[in-house]
Amino acid sequence: KVWTGCTRNRLWQSGMANVTAQFGVKYGAIVLAGDIGKTIAACLLCRFVLFPQHGALACIYAGLGASLGHNWP
């Protein structure tokens, strides 16, 4: 165990719940904002730059891909 009382494996996980538990709500909110921003950026990039001909479908696939890639890297 390390100084926080958690196992090393849990300490180095960077998910919002783990960061909030380790460092507080402020840092958890920053991680959540980054996760949401990453998904929005992927949606906008696919919708307007990479695949504008596919319209909203490109945004749906990008959002799904960002969420799946975040949960199961």
Side-chain angles (χ1 to χ4, degrees):
K1 293 193 176 207
V2 292
W3 60 272
T4 60
C6 291
T7 61
R8 181 177 211 157
N9 202 16
R10 180 180 165 117
L11 178 66
W12 299 114
Q13 293 176 349
S14 62
M16 184 209 56
N18 292 324
V19 170
T20 302
Q22 295 296 316
F23 303 108
V25 175
K26 176 182 173 183
Y27 292 104
I30 292 170
V31 172
L32 178 62
D35 289 343
I36 292 171
K38 174 176 55 177
T39 302
I40 290 173
C43 288
L44 293 176
L45 182 68
C46 284
R47 170 68 173 95
F48 295 110
V49 178
L50 298 175
F51 306 105
Q53 68 274 17
H54 294 296
L57 187 61
C59 184
I60 292 170
Y61 283 139
L64 181 64
S67 295
L68 290 174
H70 176 80
N71 291 327
W72 295 282

